[in-house]
Amino acid sequence: MYKLIKKPFFGQYMVRWRSPLNEQEQKEWEAVEVKSKSGGTIKGLFAKADSPQSKATIVLGHPMGKEAKGYFLKNGYTNLLIKNGYNVLVFDINGFGESTHGNFSYFEDIVAIGIKAKSLTSELPLGYHGISLGGQWATIAFTDSSHKFDFAIVESAATSLDEFWVNFKIAHRVLKVLNFLLPRYAKQVKMVERIKEVKGLKSILFIYSHADKWIPVEMGERFKRNSNVPAELWTVETAEHAQMMKSKHKVEYENKILAYFEESIK
């Protein structure tokens, strides 16, 4: 049933996942999975840092797209972190990639994978970097007292479902019906308000682009104002939505990510 309801929103992206890793590269990753309260079985890949001693473990939450967790593998995020001393766990939100379908409570998937990551490296700090879909739903996950994250980057995340899906007529109409039928749930997942209830995080770094036609910088400003933990907003000028690594800001973006994580684990 959930798969059918999700089609107006994510139908074109819920496809069979293809690994961008070659046979040798796949040997460097450990397959992990965990059951989420969303009902889905969340599947991911874990790799250790390329250094004698790991600094922290970073969980990466993907944007909406067919690549799912492969987004981070293909665009250099995992290599950047691993070579700089970080363990990495990439995962598929339910219904995407290799993860099975659950309900719309994607924040439960983020909570569950965080608990799994902590069990793998319990002695290390745990960070999160979520982009678009993976960032938006993380803001709800961080209000759950059972989440295990210590610090987080939230990038190109919409402040509410309505403010994102208004750009897509059919999906927005379906969302309005769901909001009418489930008003309590609609309130529960209003991200810009729930960010006021974050628990356990030491800080959040919000990253946005002035050239993003879907997610304006103003959304990041509102998140920052409402955040109940120390928060920073960092912006670039020309990157398209979820395309920082392919923009002219690539180097400064990578440096900002690493600097934030370094500061967070001190």
Side-chain angles (χ1 to χ4, degrees), residues 232-257:
E232 177 188 355
L233 173 63
W234 186 79
T235 65
V236 300
E237 291 298 323
T238 63
E240 296 181 10
H241 183 67
Q243 295 297 317
M244 296 272 187
M245 279 294 207
K246 295 180 179 179
S247 75
K248 69 177 185 180
H249 305 288
K250 180 180 187 296
V251 173
E252 59 185 300
Y253 172 62
E254 290 179 331
N255 290 339
K256 184 63 181 179
I257 290 170

Side-chain angles (χ1 to χ4, degrees), residues 82-259:
I82 289 169
K83 76 178 183 180
N84 280 281
Y86 296 94
N87 302 325
V88 177
L89 198 164
V90 294
F91 73 102
D92 297 318
I93 291 170
N94 88 72
F96 291 86
E98 297 179 295
S99 294
T100 64
H101 279 280
N103 59 31
F104 280 97
S105 294
Y106 299 125
F107 59 90
E108 298 285 12
D109 305 340
I110 297 168
V111 172
I113 203 67
I115 293 172
K116 180 65 176 180
K118 193 65 177 178
S119 74
L120 294 171
T121 56
S122 58
E123 75 285 0
L124 294 175
L126 182 64
Y128 183 84
H129 184 178
I131 299 177
S132 192
L133 178 74
Q136 181 182 31
W137 285 97
T139 63
I140 307 297
F142 299 149
T143 69
D144 189 316
S145 59
S146 68
H147 87 77
K148 301 300 181 184
F149 299 105
D150 298 304
F151 47 88
I153 297 175
V154 172
E155 180 181 330
S156 304
T159 39
S160 71
L161 297 178
D162 284 287
E163 288 173 289
F164 178 76
W165 289 110
V166 70
N167 299 296
F168 306 90
K169 290 183 179 179
I170 295 175
H172 192 239
R173 288 171 187 163
V174 175
L175 179 63
K176 287 170 71 175
V177 172
L178 293 174
N179 288 343
F180 176 77
L181 295 174
L182 303 166
R184 291 180 63 185
Y185 185 77
K187 185 177 181 180
Q188 180 188 0
V189 298
K190 191 170 184 180
M191 291 77 185
V192 72
E193 294 299 322
R194 296 299 308 283
I195 198 76
K196 299 173 183 178
E197 305 169 35
V198 166
K199 301 175 180 68
L201 288 185
K202 296 176 182 177
S203 66
I204 303 176
L205 170 62
F206 295 103
I207 295 179
Y208 285 75
S209 170
H210 289 276
D212 191 331
K213 66 179 180 179
W214 305 118
I215 310 293
V217 168
E218 179 266 342
M219 290 189 179
E221 294 171 345
R222 287 162 60 200
F223 267 135
K224 183 178 182 295
R225 284 198 302 269
N226 281 2
S227 175
N228 68 339
V229 300
E232 177 188 355
L233 173 63
W234 186 79
T235 65
V236 300
E237 291 298 323
T238 63
E240 296 181 10
H241 183 67
Q243 295 297 317
M244 296 272 187
M245 279 294 207
K246 295 180 179 179
S247 75
K248 69 177 185 180
H249 305 288
K250 180 180 187 296
V251 173
E252 59 185 300
Y253 172 62
E254 290 179 331
N255 290 339
K256 184 63 181 179
I257 290 170
L258 293 176

Side-chain angles (χ1 to χ4, degrees), residues 86 125 150-152 202-203 258-266:
Y86 296 94
D150 298 304
F151 47 88
K202 296 176 182 177
S203 66
L258 293 176
Y260 174 71
F261 287 150
E262 292 286 344
E263 182 63 29
S264 297
I265 61 178
K266 285 183 180 179

Side-chain angles (χ1 to χ4, degrees), residues 16-78:
R16 184 175 180 179
W17 190 70
R18 294 184 179 181
S19 175
L21 302 172
N22 61 40
E23 188 174 341
Q24 181 59 39
E25 290 170 333
Q26 290 179 35
K27 294 177 181 178
E28 299 170 3
W29 293 83
E30 173 189 350
V32 298
E33 66 176 59
V34 64
K35 189 69 175 179
S36 168
K37 290 182 180 178
S38 71
T41 297
I42 307 307
K43 298 191 177 185
L45 296 170
F46 173 76
K48 291 185 178 181
D50 187 15
S51 60
Q53 187 171 356
S54 302
K55 299 175 181 178
T57 296
I58 307 298
V59 175
L60 300 176
H62 65 82
M64 181 170 60
K66 295 177 182 179
E67 295 172 319
K69 63 181 179 288
Y71 170 91
F72 295 107
L73 298 165
K74 291 176 66 175
N75 288 296
Y77 289 89
T78 53

